[in-house]
Amino acid sequence: MERVQTYGLEGEDKQQPAEREPLPLGVVFLALGLGVACTWWGVLHEVSFYYMATYDAQANNCFAGFLGGGVAGLLLLGARCFTKIPLERIVQSFGVVVLDGAVLVLFYMLLQHERTYVFATMCYFVLNVSFFSLVSVCIANFSRIGFSYVPRALAIVGVTYAVLELVSQGLFFEGEQFAFSLSQNMIIVVAHLVLVVASFLLIRQGSMRLAKRAAQSAPVEYRAFKPAPALLVVALFYSIVFGIVHNLASGIVDEPTLKVLPSHIGLLLGGAVFYASYFSGNMCGRIWTRFRQVSFPLTMISFILLPLSDQYMANVSVVVGECATLNFYLVFLLACVAISKRACFDPIKVSALGISVAASGFLFGDALSSAIRSLGLLHLDAMVYLTAFAFVILIAATFWTGDDRRAALLWGMEEKRAPRKYDDVWVTQRAESLVEQYGLSTREGEILHMFAQGKTPQQITEELFITMATVRSHTHKIHVKLGVHSHAELMSVIEEGTKEEKGR
């Protein structure tokens, strides 16, 4: 078992009104920092698209970026599984931000000449490895705070990303398209470096503030990591669709600057939709329900609008596409946090594997649609087939899981395991006997059975998808009906009855 220090906010998971409390300053800094990091990453992609003179160079650069995401996830996962390297410290170190700054300047220098595009693409790859590693570390930090804070923190990430990109677009696109000059556009390089440094300082400050709480909580033992195939299927299939949408949407509006406003309206809507879906703060057990209700239809609509887009509908398509994309990836990160917390897995391993699969899926979808465009097959019939393909894989990823309890089992958040204290047969018989003898309700009997298995009130709230107040209410009724005054007395009654059942 790997022992780690959590950041001392676990108690707030047990207080359901926590979502009404203000976010801890450390969480705010961390969310703002990740939002700024997403901004410099997004700007990097748009700048390369705007200034690279050929479609092949643009496409190769995009491929290299998501390849970097896949490699970053695998490197983090391998390092975590086979070494004791302090990944969080390294990724957030001053050395890494200096390296990022140097590679970013080199990227812009190589962007000036078409003959050096291939080296600029290598720099882009390195910067993406760094960015996706940073995302994984931030998610690991989010997994160590009260879950009620996480949806709001991720909503701040999305809104910060959308607002900053919108504000900075005029600056980064001030130069002549397909002709970047380091001497004439130095302000772009400086502004980009400012974003990189700002994201580093905010994330570092957030991590340091949260680390101060570590002394107030006991170390947690992580269970052996078991990948959740269902979540990986969702990440892979949805990312393939978003990769196709990303590539094809670039052809809807020929002039990149014309996509700025609709793109960022879509990003803002994506953050707003995510927050509206998960604002209650007690959604750890309802992620799958909201995902099917919101993310699936949004994604399908974004794809269907592509072949229907003309000069009047193009902006609508861009808005819906960006909204669906950001909403999905925020939900995906939320699911990574939920799995890490409820299954007690190492969050670096969960997020690293998830990011690697998602980036690989996006790369595949982007390459597939790019090949279709290059072969001149992008016509109405091809779009019909692509839409059918997207619909099939989205259905396959979304509806085979079942309800939230089934999703929790498949995602690794719950296990079918034997009770920790008693043989299941005797526990069941004793629980049923007590239900009949004292007239317990169905829900009270269910909670009694889970107590008999040695489960805590917090585990009961997560498995039954009810609030802590509801568990306490049912527990009080059980105590009254059985004539006990404490949990210890209740367990004593169960234990004595179980021994009697075994002795018969």
Side-chain angles (χ1 to χ4, degrees), residues 61-271:
N61 200 69
C62 193
F63 298 159
F66 288 99
L67 179 61
V71 170
L74 292 178
L75 288 176
L76 287 177
L77 184 62
R80 199 62 155 189
C81 290
F82 303 111
T83 71
K84 297 190 180 203
I85 297 175
L87 297 174
E88 293 92 334
R89 293 182 183 178
I90 292 176
V91 173
Q92 299 175 97
S93 66
F94 285 99
V96 169
V97 74
V98 170
L99 176 63
D100 285 347
V103 174
L104 183 64
V105 172
L106 182 59
F107 168 80
Y108 277 108
M109 292 175 62
L110 297 170
L111 197 62
Q112 297 179 102
H113 306 290
E114 188 172 343
R115 64 179 181 274
T116 57
Y117 281 170
V118 63
F119 301 107
T121 296
M122 293 179 184
C123 293
Y124 186 75
F125 170 83
V126 172
L127 290 169
N128 272 266
V129 171
S130 177
F131 167 75
F132 283 104
S133 298
L134 187 63
V135 172
S136 183
V137 168
C138 287
I139 292 306
N141 285 329
F142 285 138
S143 72
R144 293 166 182 152
I145 64 177
F147 191 81
S148 60
Y149 295 124
V150 179
R152 285 185 292 162
L154 290 176
I156 290 174
V157 173
V159 172
T160 302
Y161 170 41
V163 171
L164 284 182
E165 266 217 345
L166 179 60
V167 170
S168 64
Q169 287 295 327
L171 172 64
F172 286 99
F173 288 146
E174 68 170 6
E176 181 183 352
Q177 187 175 3
F178 305 139
F180 181 81
S181 171
L182 193 63
S183 59
Q184 296 177 9
N185 303 119
M186 180 58 70
I187 186 63
I188 294 177
V189 182
V190 173
H192 214 150
L193 286 171
V194 169
L195 288 175
V196 171
V197 174
S199 66
F200 166 78
L201 293 177
L202 285 168
I203 291 173
R204 187 177 178 84
Q205 182 63 219
S207 298
M208 290 173 62
R209 285 178 175 269
L210 292 178
K212 289 180 181 179
R213 299 172 178 256
Q216 303 173 13
S217 59
V220 173
E221 291 187 353
Y222 287 144
R223 293 167 49 211
F225 176 58
K226 297 178 181 179
L231 180 62
L232 299 182
V233 168
V234 172
L236 178 65
F237 284 7
Y238 270 77
S239 294
I240 288 173
V241 172
F242 286 123
I244 296 173
V245 172
H246 170 76
N247 188 284
L248 298 184
S250 63
I252 294 176
V253 182
D254 294 332
E255 174 58 47
T257 55
L258 297 179
K259 292 192 295 185
V260 171
L261 185 59
S263 173
H264 291 88
I265 290 175
L267 291 175
L268 284 171
L269 285 176

Side-chain angles (χ1 to χ4, degrees), residues 454-472:
K455 293 181 179 177
T456 65
Q458 183 63 28
Q459 288 173 316
I460 294 173
T461 66
E462 294 173 350
E463 293 190 25
L464 298 182
F465 312 128
I466 57 178
T467 66
M468 183 63 72
T470 302
V471 173
R472 288 170 180 163

Side-chain angles (χ1 to χ4, degrees), residues 24-42:
L25 197 55
V27 177
V28 174
F29 280 136
L30 199 63
L32 289 174
L34 183 54
V36 176
C38 290
T39 302
W40 73 250
W41 171 77

Side-chain angles (χ1 to χ4, degrees), residues 336-503:
C336 288
V337 174
I339 291 172
S340 300
K341 290 180 71 63
R342 288 184 59 181
C344 204
F345 289 153
D346 184 345
I348 289 287
K349 294 179 182 178
V350 174
S351 57
L353 181 59
I355 286 172
S356 181
V357 171
S360 299
F362 203 102
L363 173 61
F364 176 82
D366 196 4
L368 175 64
S369 53
S370 180
I372 292 174
R373 289 180 61 175
S374 299
L375 294 173
L377 301 177
L378 196 58
H379 46 73
L380 184 58
D381 290 342
M383 285 304 302
V384 169
Y385 288 120
L386 271 179
T387 303
F389 169 72
F391 182 75
V392 168
I393 65 173
L394 289 181
I395 288 289
T398 306
F399 291 99
W400 68 285
T401 304
D403 61 13
D404 279 290
R405 294 189 185 186
R406 174 68 174 163
L409 287 170
L410 290 172
W411 286 9
M413 291 190 287
E414 302 293 346
E415 284 190 343
K416 291 182 178 179
R417 55 185 183 271
R420 294 184 298 176
K421 293 189 177 180
Y422 311 113
D423 181 85
D424 190 56
V425 175
W426 303 113
V427 168
T428 300
Q429 291 180 2
R430 179 55 176 163
E432 291 175 352
S433 175
L434 290 174
V435 169
E436 294 177 3
Q437 182 178 352
Y438 294 98
L440 302 184
S441 68
T442 302
R443 180 63 89 183
E444 290 165 0
E446 191 172 15
I447 291 176
L448 178 66
H449 184 98
M450 297 177 78
F451 276 138
Q453 291 179 310
K455 293 181 179 177
T456 65
Q458 183 63 28
Q459 288 173 316
I460 294 173
T461 66
E462 294 173 350
E463 293 190 25
L464 298 182
F465 312 128
I466 57 178
T467 66
M468 183 63 72
T470 302
V471 173
R472 288 170 180 163
S473 176
H474 286 304
T475 303
H476 176 71
K477 293 176 183 178
I478 293 171
H479 286 181
V480 170
K481 291 181 179 180
L482 271 64
V484 300
H485 302 89
S486 66
H487 183 72
E489 288 185 28
L490 175 63
M491 297 306 296
S492 177
V493 170
I494 295 173
E495 185 174 359
E496 291 175 0
T498 303
K499 291 178 179 177
E500 292 176 3
E501 293 287 345
K502 288 183 177 182

